[in-house]
Amino acid sequence: RKLLQYDEMFLFLCLLVTCVYSEPIEQPSAYDLYPPTIVGHLPVVVDHFRYSLPVRTFDIQYLGTDVFASAGRKSPVLMYCGNEGEIEDFYNATGGMFELAEEIGAYVIFVEHRYYGDSLPFGNESFTNENLVYLSIEQALADFSVVISSFPDILGCQGSQASDALCDVISFFFYSIIFSFLTFFIWNAQSVCNCYR
């Protein structure tokens, strides 16, 4: 039994020395491999569900790349719906989308979630109690729907059918059955999504 303990201790010390004295391997980031070629802001309304004058708007940030869009106007769009953070961080950490886009010849677009990064509805005053009422899933989904509806203008794309006014969109992460008519496919990695078209 003692021999086993010494072997385990020796193995642990070897691993510790290896971890302490080894150089980290520098991995290229998505920014290095696929720098954004599409960067912009799109105005959306603060409250999509109540009409009041004056209508207040703010800019949602988006960024992406068109280097894989092989079919031009008919290329699908892979859209990442941002969540709790700046969109640049998700762009940099989501390499699988770029690999898929290369396989299918698609645009890649990341859209920032309201109240994060540069997408602040009220600027520095966004985090007061009265302004936080607009931080909801429903409002964010409506923001993403506005962005999807704007893809023909932003990207110059169109759907795969001649009669399609909107681009073919595959939405990643955060979407809902309420707006599923705007997307071709929804990839939701954390919950059940009963969205079929």
Side-chain angles (χ1 to χ4, degrees):
R1 178 75 186 138
K2 283 194 182 244
L3 184 60
L4 186 61
Q5 288 177 341
Y6 291 128
D7 286 346
E8 290 172 352
M9 192 179 322
F10 177 74
L11 185 60
F12 173 74
L13 288 173
C14 287
L15 285 171
L16 182 64
V17 167
T18 303
C19 291
V20 169
Y21 290 106
S22 65
E23 291 291 321
I25 299 172
E26 197 64 35
Q27 294 290 324
S29 68
Y31 267 101
D32 298 330
L33 298 172
Y34 317 106
T37 57
I38 302 165
V39 179
H41 293 83
L42 187 72
V44 295
V45 297
V46 171
D47 189 353
H48 293 277
F49 304 107
R50 285 185 291 271
Y51 181 76
S52 62
L53 290 174
V55 176
R56 185 174 175 111
T57 63
F58 71 102
D59 289 340
I60 287 282
Q61 182 182 4
Y62 61 87
L63 60 123
T65 185
D66 58 2
V67 297
F68 307 117
S70 60
R73 293 174 53 84
K74 301 276 187 187
S75 292
V77 180
L78 302 182
M79 182 181 115
Y80 184 93
C81 301
N83 44 320
E84 295 88 4
E86 296 180 359
I87 202 62
E88 294 86 1
D89 294 338
F90 297 109
Y91 186 94
N92 209 26
T94 314
M97 283 188 61
F98 298 100
E99 293 172 7
L100 181 58
E102 190 171 13
E103 289 258 336
I104 65 173
Y107 293 97
V108 178
I109 299 292
F110 287 72
V111 183
E112 194 161 60
H113 192 295
R114 60 172 46 211
Y115 285 86
Y116 292 95
D118 290 340
S119 303
L120 301 175
F122 300 96
N124 293 335
E125 300 296 315
S126 294
F127 302 103
T128 63
N129 287 339
E130 58 271 4
N131 291 339
L132 280 173
V133 298
Y134 303 106
L135 175 58
S136 69
I137 291 171
E138 293 80 11
Q139 296 286 354
L141 289 172
D143 292 341
F144 296 141
S145 298
V146 169
V147 175
I148 289 172
S149 299
S150 301
F151 281 162
D153 297 327
I154 295 169
L155 305 173
C157 60
Q158 66 185 45
S160 55
Q161 304 298 317
S163 61
D164 288 349
L166 298 176
C167 309
D168 291 334
V169 177
I170 300 173
S171 174
F172 284 78
F173 180 64
F174 176 65
Y175 219 58
S176 143
I177 197 163
I178 297 168
F179 297 106
S180 63
F181 66 93
L182 290 173
T183 60
F184 176 72
F185 181 80
I186 299 170
W187 184 320
N188 191 336
Q190 65 184 37
S191 64
V192 176
C193 182
N194 295 322
C195 305
Y196 302 99
R197 191 167 164 195

